[in-house]
Amino acid sequence: MTKFAVIGGGSWATAIAKMLCVNESRIIWYMRNEAAIEHLQTQHHNPNYLSSVTFQIEKLDLTTDINYAIANAEIIIFAIPSAFLNNELAKLEVSLQDKVIFSAIKGIVPETSLIVGEHFHEVYQIPYENIGVITGPCHAEEVALERLSYLTIACADAKKAKVVAQALSGNYIKAKISDDIIGTEYAAMLKNIYAIAAGIAHGLGYGDNFQSVLMSNAIREMKKFIRKVHKMKRNINNSAYLGDLLVTGYSVFSRNRMFGNMIGKGYTVKSAMMEMSMVAEGYYAVKSAYKLNEEYGAKTPIIDAVYSILYEGKEARKVFKKLTEKLD
């Protein structure tokens, strides 16, 4: 039985596989793309994502069979876009019941409107002590460059969180643990929405002064939203919340900011998605967050503004002009 399996073939899955290979003698790595696996086996790098990362191939048990990956590992790390998770799980013929599930997915499952941890708990009856979350602030591209990065590993069972934190830690990765599995996962989802807002603002020509006001309002809005969903004592200024928000809102590696920037410059949603090679999780998250907040009633002018632009077709410039009057 192998300790870890990584589910996904994208940039974040590749970064996680790279981190695990520092400390683990062997990991199972599932990806759908058979050509990518063949390339990894012969050229030792993922041809489509983070291609500068070279793997010791003897450490990788590569497979296109998700059932093999899950059946033969103890801890399963899911790192695929939330919009595709349900389709991948539909392939399962083996049980998840005795597995420890960690989500590195920063979004909501569209079919159930649940964050990933809640989805596994409610749909697959996985107890929360066997569910964890891997959050940033940490961009896959900087992991590839081996730049100092920080992770937060959240789980109700501290021992399981420590196992994963130790497996991912290294010279350029510092990992700490948390017991706020719900709050950190919602924060990881919400920050993508705020990064789209930051991108839209940039595309419209707003400067750094406005961006700083937008981000300071965003962290307060995030605090209100998460408190409504899951009330517990947490410091919203910790890196898992504020730090992850800032890096996603400002970084040149942020696909959500890039997506928002295109919208601000006048791209349609469809054309922006077609031009990007990677999924902007925030696009799906904003609809789920907006609908969820109809139940909770938190004051969320930034989420509302992004929703009205992406899903109601309202003009970004007019929406942001109104938003500027609501920020302080």
Side-chain angles (χ1 to χ4, degrees):
M1 183 71 71
T2 306
K3 178 155 282 189
F4 289 96
V6 178
I7 308 298
S11 58
W12 195 216
T14 305
I16 289 170
K18 172 181 167 65
M19 289 184 268
L20 288 174
C21 283
V22 172
N23 298 309
E24 299 296 312
S25 59
R26 194 163 177 81
I27 67 167
I28 300 173
W29 188 0
Y30 161 80
M31 58 178 73
R32 293 181 302 167
N33 190 331
E34 194 165 341
I37 286 182
E38 290 174 1
H39 191 95
L40 263 162
Q41 289 168 334
T42 57
Q43 305 301 318
H44 303 175
H45 64 85
N46 188 337
N48 303 314
Y49 301 93
L50 306 188
S51 57
S52 64
V53 175
T54 302
F55 288 92
Q56 293 175 265
I57 200 64
E58 64 273 12
K59 288 194 170 189
L60 302 179
D61 185 357
L62 297 161
T63 181
T64 57
D65 183 354
I66 192 171
N67 288 288
Y68 170 83
I70 288 173
N72 290 284
E74 299 172 26
I75 301 172
I76 318 297
I77 298 177
F78 283 86
I80 56 180
S82 58
F84 307 141
L85 178 64
N86 210 49
N87 286 340
E88 289 300 321
L89 293 175
K91 301 174 183 177
L92 290 185
E93 296 171 359
V94 298
S95 175
L96 292 169
Q97 286 301 309
D98 60 343
K99 304 298 179 180
V100 176
I101 307 294
F102 270 78
S103 168
I105 301 169
K106 299 168 176 65
I108 278 183
V109 182
E111 291 82 359
T112 58
S113 295
L114 298 171
I115 54 173
V116 176
E118 291 176 333
H119 183 82
F120 277 111
H121 179 68
E122 294 195 16
V123 178
Y124 294 91
Q125 288 77 53
I126 309 296
Y128 273 121
E129 57 266 27
N130 284 344
I131 297 173
V133 180
I134 301 169
T135 66
C138 187
H139 279 305
E141 292 81 359
E142 292 204 353
V143 173
L145 295 167
E146 298 192 359
R147 291 178 177 170
L148 182 61
S149 302
Y150 291 72
L151 294 173
T152 298
I153 315 300
C155 184
D157 186 331
K159 289 182 179 178
K160 294 184 177 81
K162 285 178 182 176
V163 167
V164 175
Q166 288 169 358
L168 293 171
S169 295
N171 291 336
Y172 56 92
I173 300 292
K174 296 184 182 295
K176 68 173 186 176
I177 67 169
S178 167
D179 62 350
D180 185 16
I181 176 175
I182 302 296
T184 53
E185 191 168 5
Y186 267 103
M189 177 269 289
L190 291 167
K191 53 96 176 182
N192 287 333
I193 302 171
Y194 300 129
I196 290 177
I200 292 172
H202 185 267
L204 289 170
Y206 288 90
D208 293 343
N209 293 338
F210 176 75
Q211 293 275 5
S212 66
V213 172
L214 182 66
M215 289 293 102
S216 64
N217 277 265
I219 192 62
R220 296 199 298 272
E221 185 170 305
M222 179 187 287
K223 182 179 181 179
K224 292 172 187 173
F225 189 103
I226 297 174
R227 186 190 292 152
K228 289 276 188 181
V229 175
H230 185 240
K231 191 172 183 179
M232 69 171 283
K233 187 177 181 181
R234 62 174 62 88
N235 185 352
I236 204 72
N237 295 321
N238 283 347
S239 60
Y241 314 95
L242 177 58
D244 209 5
L245 169 66
L246 292 176
V247 75
T248 311
Y250 287 124
S251 175
V252 295
F253 294 125
S254 171
R255 67 196 70 169
N256 289 284
R257 179 186 167 91
M258 185 190 306
F259 175 74
N261 187 49
M262 294 167 108
I263 298 297
K265 287 182 180 297
Y267 283 70
T268 64
V269 169
K270 186 176 181 180
S271 61
M273 284 186 159
M274 287 176 65
E275 187 149 325
M276 291 180 65
S277 61
M278 295 182 288
V279 175
E281 292 272 25
Y283 171 73
Y284 303 100
V286 69
K287 184 177 182 180
S288 297
Y290 182 86
K291 296 299 183 184
L292 185 64
N293 196 45
E294 289 180 338
E295 175 187 345
Y296 288 107
K299 189 176 179 182
T300 56
I302 302 173
I303 292 174
D304 297 348
V306 177
Y307 178 84
S308 70
I309 294 167
L310 299 186
Y311 286 93
E312 295 178 343
K314 294 186 179 177
E315 188 181 333
R317 189 168 299 279
K318 290 181 179 179
V319 170
F320 263 67
K321 191 173 188 307
K322 289 181 181 178
L323 179 62
T324 61
E325 302 300 321
K326 298 175 183 177
L327 305 182
D328 55 37

